[in-house]
Amino acid sequence: MAKPSGEFRLKGINASPGICIGKAYLVDKEGVDIVARYYVEKEKLPGEVKRFKAAVKRARDEIRSVIDDSPEELQRAHILETHLALLKDKMLYGKTIETIETEGVNAEWALKQVVSKIKSVFLSMANAYLKERASDIVHVSDSIMRNLIGVKAEKIADIDKRVILVARDLSPADTSQINLEKIKGFITDRGGKASHTGIVAQALEIPAVVGLKHATSRIKSDNLIIVDGNAGQVIVNPSEKSLVKYEERKMDYEQYRAVITRDSHLAAKTTDGINVDVMANIELPEEVVSVKNYGGDGIGLYRTEFQYMNRTIFPNEEELFEKYKDVVEFMAPKPVTIRTLDINGDKAVSNQNGQDEANPALGLRSIRYCLRKPDIFLTQMRAILRAAAFGNVRILFPMIAAYFEISEAKKLLDQAAGSLEKEGLPYNRDIQAGIMIEVPSAVVLADFLAEKVDFFSIGTNDLIQYALAIDRLNPNVAHLYQPLDPAVIRLIKMVADVAKDKGIEVHMCGEMAAATHHIPLLLGLGLDELSMNPQSIPHIKRVIRSLSISDARAFMQGVLKKRTARGVFELVKEAYGDLLDTGYGMPRGG
Ligand code: PEP
Ligand code: MG
């Protein structure tokens, strides 16, 4: 008989979708938190540096062997390669050696100081993706630290029970060792949505919830747990009732997943026969594996900022070229839309010695920054044009607010091509060039701007911010940030109408495109392509297949008469209520 179960729930971040039910297995990944400081005599400092270098080498060998043993899909994602590179990163490797030498301290202490400084810089960033990069530094430094101290890491590959892993943190090197026949899913105290660990879980297609804070203190090995990777929730010691409910949800979800996965590689064609390309937004080159898995028709937005963040020297052309080429070759012949540098604003660069800006969102960000620093801009454009020789590339200029900006950007693009030509390097200038429409002035000037470009891509994240005067990062005004505001809908309509009139394509790559109940509006307004986080692709494709463009157009007549976001929402609910998200990762009845 069911005894009182003492069920409780923990809320975290959904890092990889799916539901699994099973016994918890606590992994002890700690033991290197407490580090002693001692001073090293001057003549022994070279030996201390040597000891540090040897630990880095052992960490390197460990990661290499995980790479060699991991599934091909993961190898191609180059996630662990990123960690290999970080091991020798100047910020980490160089600074630690410098600290040992200048402060005369032991390697463990120097490493700990350096990591804590790098971590705080990353964590202070507003951008969630960049914030998450702090965890890469921590994972890499943990592996060095373990080797310095001589603590053996528990090998995930050796676990041979059917369990769900519970850990304070798991590195991509840990999760890459997961044996899919044994491990059903994992949960961690730390981590965020954009973590590499989450990306590995998605590539392996196992459920994962991260950022639970207290999972390891509240769950014991062998506790029965349910991991709901869709909702980002963990149910510990579930009652009979919860078990039955989640068994059912798990089955529903698996069935649904099977259907959408089966169809995700097919085109998203409406019931009246119109194809809508459903593309992916990526921040990290490693995400291309998810894009393929989820059936993306290409990459609609490759945010290239990450490679520039938090370093003292910006990446050189070769480094950028290699990264872009990897993505482009992997996706070929599907298109990859590489957006040029969109830094500052909410994505601060560290090597800027300029003053702080009072209003960074209105400051020297994005294309403004690039036009001010043509050398940096030209380096990136040369890398893009060179990568374009290896597949299907489009270039996308962000934050265009004035006509002269696109004229100048294109002039510099020609200059970049000219210099490559002169040097005899292979490149492809015959690529589509587009602009992000994310500033209201660009909407107003869309007809002029259309003369200069091959496509528009509407960035609703910023367009809503600038049109409604709402800081997209300010929680006090988050309730006013409404994609369905009639003003936003009119702006999108203006852009789409101009694009049609001028015979160019109009895309959307803001978050607005990833919500199912927005799709009838976007189809009704005439968007040709939608781009979103890779996980949403199968789901959105399925929604598109259930809709007709002509119905959506007729529906828009009513929408355009509404005066408030609520009014629009009510109309959507009335006509397309079954598309409202259940919070369960799929539309009702899906
Ligand atoms: C946008 O503004 O909608 C967009 C896609 O760009 P980002 O979120 O990178 O500013
Ligand atoms: Mg933007």
Side-chain angles (χ1 to χ4, degrees):
M1 245 1 277
K3 48 181 186 299
S5 63
E7 168 179 316
F8 64 91
R9 291 169 185 233
L10 298 171
K11 185 86 189 104
I13 298 162
N14 48 349
S16 178
I19 292 172
C20 63
I21 303 175
K23 283 196 172 166
Y25 182 98
L26 259 80
V27 189
D28 181 14
K29 299 297 300 176
E30 296 304 315
V32 287
D33 258 7
I34 303 157
V35 168
R37 173 170 69 171
Y38 54 87
Y39 290 99
V40 178
E41 290 161 38
K42 199 156 180 225
E43 58 277 17
K44 293 199 175 140
L45 285 175
E48 194 61 12
V49 170
K50 218 164 140 192
R51 195 167 72 82
F52 173 70
K53 287 185 176 170
V56 172
K57 184 175 177 312
R58 283 196 298 276
R60 206 179 164 75
D61 294 345
E62 274 172 20
I63 298 180
R64 269 252 157 266
S65 91
V66 174
I67 295 180
D68 293 344
D69 294 341
S70 62
E72 202 187 315
E73 194 77 328
L74 283 181
Q75 290 188 20
R76 268 188 287 149
H78 299 302
I79 292 170
L80 291 175
E81 304 281 348
T82 313
H83 282 205
L84 279 182
L86 274 179
L87 278 172
K88 280 286 175 87
D89 191 274
K90 274 203 197 95
M91 265 191 329
L92 184 71
Y93 185 79
K95 267 269 174 244
T96 305
I97 295 177
E98 193 187 308
T99 308
I100 298 173
E101 287 169 341
T102 54
E103 294 184 21
V105 289
N106 56 320
E108 292 86 348
W109 184 258
L111 178 63
K112 194 177 152 116
Q113 297 314 303
V114 169
V115 169
S116 112
K117 267 193 212 132
I118 306 176
K119 226 172 99 180
S120 66
V121 175
F122 272 101
L123 289 177
S124 67
M125 292 182 174
N127 184 292
Y129 293 99
L130 299 170
K131 228 183 205 149
E132 198 48 53
R133 304 290 54 92
S135 66
D136 287 311
I137 301 281
V138 170
H139 291 146
V140 165
S141 70
D142 273 356
S143 59
I144 305 175
M145 191 69 91
R146 269 199 323 271
N147 278 295
L148 272 174
I149 294 179
V151 182
K152 272 258 160 292
E154 177 165 1
K155 280 195 85 177
I156 304 288
D158 295 342
I159 299 172
D160 70 342
K161 298 186 214 161
R162 288 278 293 155
V163 289
I164 298 170
L165 300 182
V166 181
R168 293 237 332 243
D169 198 6
L170 290 172
S171 71
D174 296 327
T175 41
S176 297
Q177 300 173 40
I178 281 178
N179 174 351
L180 287 176
E181 292 187 349
K182 300 290 177 206
I183 309 229
K184 300 176 172 188
F186 68 81
I187 60 175
T188 59
D189 290 346
R190 301 197 192 128
K193 201 170 174 75
S195 66
H196 273 132
T197 305
I199 293 172
V200 174
Q202 286 162 25
L204 295 172
E205 298 186 36
I206 56 171
V209 178
V210 300
L212 284 157
K213 296 197 177 85
H214 309 294
T216 50
S217 55
R218 304 214 44 207
I219 300 174
K220 301 200 169 41
S221 273
D222 288 337
N223 277 167
L224 188 62
I225 59 174
I226 300 172
V227 177
D228 182 349
N230 301 327
Q233 190 166 226
V234 178
I235 298 109
V236 187
N237 298 328
S239 64
E240 282 293 332
K241 201 168 142 219
S242 299
L243 268 177
V244 172
K245 188 168 108 187
Y246 275 91
E247 282 289 1
E248 227 165 71
R249 281 201 183 181
K250 178 171 180 286
M251 258 163 41
D252 280 358
Y253 181 76
E254 278 165 8
Q255 258 171 20
Y256 173 74
R257 223 39 251 180
V259 173
I260 59 171
T261 308
R262 195 190 59 212
D263 296 346
S264 66
H265 295 273
L266 307 175
K269 192 184 264 184
T270 60
T271 54
D272 44 357
I274 310 283
N275 256 343
V276 181
D277 283 330
V278 183
M279 319 279 282
N281 292 353
I282 64 166
E283 279 72 25
L284 307 166
E286 305 86 87
E287 286 176 287
V288 287
V289 173
S290 301
V291 179
K292 273 243 170 115
N293 283 349
Y294 289 115
D297 295 318
I299 291 173
L301 172 64
Y302 176 4
R303 293 182 169 104
T304 56
E305 291 76 69
F306 175 56
Q307 267 179 286
Y308 290 80
M309 309 305 300
N310 225 297
R311 19 197 304 176
T312 37
I313 300 169
F314 274 171
N316 62 29
E317 178 182 320
E318 220 45 42
E319 183 183 337
L320 294 172
F321 164 64
E322 288 297 334
K323 282 270 191 264
Y324 300 160
K325 175 168 162 280
D326 272 355
V327 173
V328 169
E329 276 187 328
F330 189 81
M331 290 304 299
K334 292 179 174 156
V336 176
T337 314
I338 306 180
R339 183 176 71 182
T340 60
L341 199 50
D342 187 4
I343 39 178
N344 293 343
D346 68 338
K347 305 152 189 155
V349 233
S350 70
N351 77 337
Q352 270 256 89
N353 29 18
Q355 335 75 317
D356 281 349
E357 296 180 318
N359 287 307
L362 306 180
L364 189 67
R365 63 170 287 204
S366 202
I367 194 78
R368 302 168 182 180
Y369 176 87
C370 289
L371 292 175
R372 178 74 69 86
K373 311 248 181 197
D375 288 350
I376 295 171
F377 201 20
L378 283 166
T379 301
Q380 184 182 29
M381 289 199 287
R382 279 172 56 106
I384 294 172
L385 291 172
R386 286 176 60 193
F390 295 84
N392 184 354
V393 168
R394 306 163 174 168
I395 192 167
L396 177 60
F397 298 105
M399 242 214 126
I400 298 291
Y403 188 85
F404 83 89
E405 289 168 335
I406 182 61
S407 305
E408 284 193 13
K410 287 191 70 179
K411 226 185 274 165
L412 287 167
L413 182 64
D414 286 334
Q415 191 180 323
S419 62
L420 290 168
E421 180 68 35
K422 231 186 254 159
E423 291 163 38
L425 284 165
Y427 73 98
N428 180 9
R429 172 65 186 87
D430 190 19
I431 57 172
Q432 286 197 2
I435 52 172
M436 299 273 300
I437 302 280
E438 49 186 348
V439 182
S441 60
V443 179
V444 178
L445 290 181
D447 55 337
F448 289 165
L449 297 171
E451 293 162 2
K452 301 290 282 182
V453 295
D454 303 301
F455 66 96
F456 288 150
S457 188
I458 305 178
T460 47
N461 305 344
D462 276 314
L463 185 60
I464 297 171
Q465 144 163 289
Y466 293 126
L468 302 182
I470 293 158
D471 178 350
R472 64 193 256 194
L473 301 171
N474 182 343
N476 297 328
V477 286
H479 62 290
L480 299 172
Y481 191 93
Q482 293 289 353
L484 294 184
D485 192 292
V488 175
I489 295 172
R490 280 194 186 178
L491 288 169
I492 299 171
K493 183 172 184 325
M494 286 164 73
V495 180
D497 289 350
V498 169
K500 285 279 153 325
D501 194 42
K502 297 284 181 183
I504 65 170
E505 284 209 349
V506 57
H507 311 159
M508 179 175 285
C509 61
E511 300 292 322
M512 185 175 180
T516 47
H517 66 282
H518 294 155
I519 306 300
L521 277 100
L522 301 179
L523 298 189
L525 288 169
L527 272 292
D528 299 296
E529 196 177 290
L530 304 176
S531 193
M532 61 204 62
N533 63 78
Q535 299 91 290
S536 298
I537 292 172
H539 187 49
I540 298 289
K541 278 191 160 182
R542 186 165 156 83
V543 170
I544 293 172
R545 288 192 200 102
S546 72
L547 298 171
S548 115
I549 299 260
S550 54
D551 287 353
R553 280 200 197 119
F555 166 69
M556 277 314 293
Q557 302 303 319
V559 169
L560 292 169
K561 295 199 181 93
K562 293 292 169 192
R563 286 171 167 70
T564 60
R566 167 119 321 254
V568 175
F569 180 76
E570 292 300 334
L571 205 61
V572 175
K573 206 159 105 184
E574 201 181 297
Y576 295 100
D578 56 339
L579 294 183
L580 293 178
D581 276 327
T582 55
Y584 178 66
M586 59 172 169
R588 229 171 257 138

